[in-house]
Amino acid sequence: MPRTHVPVLAGELIEALDPQPGQIAVDCTLGAAGHARLVADRIGPAGTLIAIDRDPLAEEAFAELAAEVPCATRFLRADFEHGLRTLAEEGVEVDLAYVDLGMSSMQVDTRERGFSYAYDAPLDMRMDPGQALDAREIVNTWERRRA
C-alpha cells in the first residue's frame, strides 16, 4: 500500500471539515487512508480517528496509518452503514465524519479484484472479497430485466 496516496479532493475535504485538535473523526470509507492521514495530523494527540471499511486491504492500510499518526485510532471492518450504527449504539459522539464514495485505485489496480477493463481477469467487483455474490454471477446468471 503506497504511503504517499493523496486523494484528488484532499484540500477541499480539509477545508470543508476544518478538523481541530482533540476532535473525534470518522472516515467511513478508509481505502488507502489518504484522507485519514490528513485528518489525523490535524486532530493531533488529543483526537481520535475511527476508520470504517469492509475491504481487507483497507485494514492493512489502517495498520500502517495507526502506527504513524499522533492520535488514538480504531478500525471497524464493516460497510459504513453498519459501522456508523455500531458507533451510535456505543454512544460515540462524533465531531466530523466523511464518506468517499466510489472505487479506489486499490480496487482498480489489483487485477484479482476484477474491477478494471484494462486487465484480462474474472469479473468480480466485490468491495469485500469475503462476500459470496460477485459481479460474474450477476452478469451471467441473473435474469435480464427489460425497461
Side-chain angles (χ1 to χ4, degrees), residues 11-147:
E12 291 81 354
L13 176 97
I14 294 303
E15 183 179 328
L17 293 177
D18 190 26
Q20 297 297 310
Q23 288 186 318
I24 297 175
V26 179
D27 186 325
C28 296
T29 50
L30 181 71
H35 291 123
R37 186 172 302 281
L38 296 171
V39 170
D41 288 341
R42 284 162 180 78
I43 62 175
T48 300
L49 174 72
I50 302 169
I52 301 171
D53 207 301
R54 60 185 174 175
D55 190 322
L57 289 178
E59 194 165 4
E60 292 176 24
F62 174 78
E64 291 178 22
L65 173 78
E68 298 170 358
V69 296
C71 61
T73 58
R74 177 179 176 192
F75 183 81
L76 296 172
R77 176 129 184 249
D79 60 55
F80 60 85
E81 175 194 358
H82 290 102
L84 289 171
R85 186 177 302 139
T86 296
L87 295 174
E89 289 168 357
E90 292 175 358
V92 176
E93 294 186 23
V94 173
D95 297 299
L96 56 100
Y98 52 97
V99 181
D100 183 4
L101 299 174
M103 295 186 312
S104 75
S105 57
M106 273 181 5
Q107 284 95 19
V108 175
D109 294 344
T110 306
R111 178 183 307 255
E112 302 79 36
R113 299 298 295 271
F115 278 93
S116 177
Y117 293 107
Y119 304 118
D120 184 18
L123 187 63
D124 189 320
M125 303 182 89
R126 294 174 292 173
M127 293 291 185
D128 178 352
Q131 286 181 284
L133 183 62
D134 63 16
R136 177 181 18 193
E137 182 178 341
I138 293 170
V139 169
N140 292 316
T141 66
W142 286 23
E143 184 178 325
R144 180 178 174 200
R145 293 185 192 172
R146 297 176 194 248

